[in-house]
Amino acid sequence: MADERAQALQQLAGQVRICLECRLGATRGVAVPGEGPLDAELLWVGEAPGAAEDAAGLPFVGASGRFLRHEMHEAGLDPAAMYITNIVKCRTPGNRRPRVDEIAICTGLYLVRQMALVAPKAVVALGATAAGALLADTVKMTQEHGAWRQDYNLTAQGLPVFITYHPAAALRSERWRAELHADLQALADGRWRMAYG
Ligand code: URA
């Protein structure tokens, strides 16, 4: 079973790497499927690969990724135990926000299947774009960071979604940095497992 899931996840990554289903296929460097162990308890979702990820083919390896992994360590969360991916798997031109059709195509083809295969206990939405794509109703980040929601937009799985800032946004604001830090500490204390685990 685990072997089959691992194989399916690998196949999916192969499909992502050659994907031309939306316009981003024409401008990206390397598509970035995501990475992490099959039995990850938490699946983290960012917005889209940046320049460093588009060159490396790996998620969150640039400045915001280094900061995110640092914050995970600080909170006592092991980045190597997390499944880390993005709403869209290709870099957007000039790092613009992914468009509605790009999000719909990419999540429908890939993220939904990744979530089903990894079957995490919960999803962490990094930033308003990820949270907005995962959840049915608009997310007001400054009010809802650190909160859990289950008004799921993508599937009927009903996975709980933890909302926090995108690390790139947190790098730009001392206040958001402190709030992201506190959010990850709260996530790491594990009390959510009593409600959702
Ligand atoms: N920002 C994201 O949202 N995802 C990455 O993989 C890198 C930067």
Side-chain angles (χ1 to χ4, degrees):
M1 233 351 229
D3 277 0
E4 277 167 33
R5 281 196 301 138
Q7 214 177 17
L9 206 55
Q10 247 176 26
Q11 267 173 14
L12 198 71
Q15 288 163 11
V16 168
R17 289 192 190 98
I18 58 167
C19 183
L20 294 173
E21 296 289 334
C22 85
R23 66 182 75 76
L24 298 180
T27 52
R28 67 153 188 256
V30 183
V32 182
E35 67 169 356
L38 190 59
D39 56 354
E41 187 180 39
L42 293 173
L43 186 145
W44 300 62
V45 185
E47 181 171 314
E53 293 78 18
D54 179 71
L58 295 168
F60 283 105
V61 292
S64 67
R66 282 195 299 278
F67 173 62
L68 175 64
R69 287 165 206 274
H70 167 79
E71 285 299 314
M72 286 179 180
H73 273 301
E74 287 278 297
L77 297 164
D78 176 8
M82 309 294 159
Y83 196 88
I84 304 177
T85 188
N86 286 294
I87 290 290
V88 302
K89 312 302 192 204
C90 293
R91 186 183 185 201
T92 61
N95 296 334
R96 66 158 167 74
R97 201 162 289 159
R99 294 184 182 147
V100 172
D101 61 331
E102 294 160 357
I103 292 175
I105 292 167
C106 202
T107 55
L109 283 173
Y110 305 121
L111 183 62
V112 164
R113 286 159 71 197
Q114 285 175 315
M115 289 194 296
L117 288 166
V118 176
K121 289 226 170 72
V123 173
V124 181
L126 296 166
T129 302
L134 289 163
L135 297 166
D137 286 322
T138 319
V139 175
K140 189 99 183 60
M141 187 55 64
T142 50
Q143 285 164 21
E144 295 189 75
H145 71 88
W148 291 88
R149 276 181 39 184
Q150 271 183 301
D151 53 314
Y152 223 62
N153 186 32
L154 290 182
T155 72
Q157 282 180 95
L159 285 172
V161 176
F162 183 75
I163 300 167
T164 193
Y165 292 94
H166 192 285
L171 276 173
R172 290 194 298 269
S173 154
E174 212 168 300
R175 174 166 165 210
W176 293 350
R177 200 151 56 236
E179 290 177 346
L180 170 71
H181 185 86
D183 290 350
L184 295 199
Q185 302 277 341
L187 181 65
D189 87 11
R191 267 180 289 181
W192 59 271
R193 287 194 197 89
M194 308 231 278
Y196 302 114

